[in-house]
Amino acid sequence: LGDLDLVLVMSVNPGFGGQSFIERSVEKVAELRWMCEQLGVAPLIQVDGGINVETAALVAGAGANCLVAGNAVFGASDPKAAISAIRDSAAAAYATRLDSC
């Protein structure tokens, strides 16, 4: 982990868009964040797959700080508003996580 700038956690099975978020991904992010903290390293933790307003809060609350959203943005009637909502949800959850540390 000390040699990495970014760690990608896939929260769907790679291959095509529109899949359901794999709930176990939240635990993986939390475990990865804990390992990084124990080692005193801070790579970006990126999550890709099934990211929307609800799942963004879950993974950001677990310690992810970089999210990839596809269908939640490009399938929205207002992509700009969708991005803002995802960002706001993730930012609030991440800030709550930091306050509890």
Side-chain angles (χ1 to χ4, degrees), residues 15-64:
F16 60 94
Q19 295 182 60
S20 297
F21 180 80
I22 299 172
E23 294 292 329
R24 169 83 172 98
S25 302
V26 178
E27 293 173 46
K28 287 183 179 184
V29 170
E31 290 171 16
L32 178 58
R33 176 57 64 196
W34 181 85
M35 289 189 295
C36 290
E37 289 169 354
Q38 296 305 303
L39 294 171
V41 298
L44 290 173
I45 297 177
Q46 181 176 32
V47 181
D48 183 353
I51 297 298
N52 56 37
V53 171
E54 293 81 23
T55 58
L58 294 174
V59 295

Side-chain angles (χ1 to χ4, degrees), residues 83-101:
I83 291 170
S84 291
I86 291 167
R87 277 188 181 151
D88 291 347
S89 175
Y94 196 78
T96 299
R97 180 194 170 278
L98 292 177
D99 289 342
S100 66
C101 290

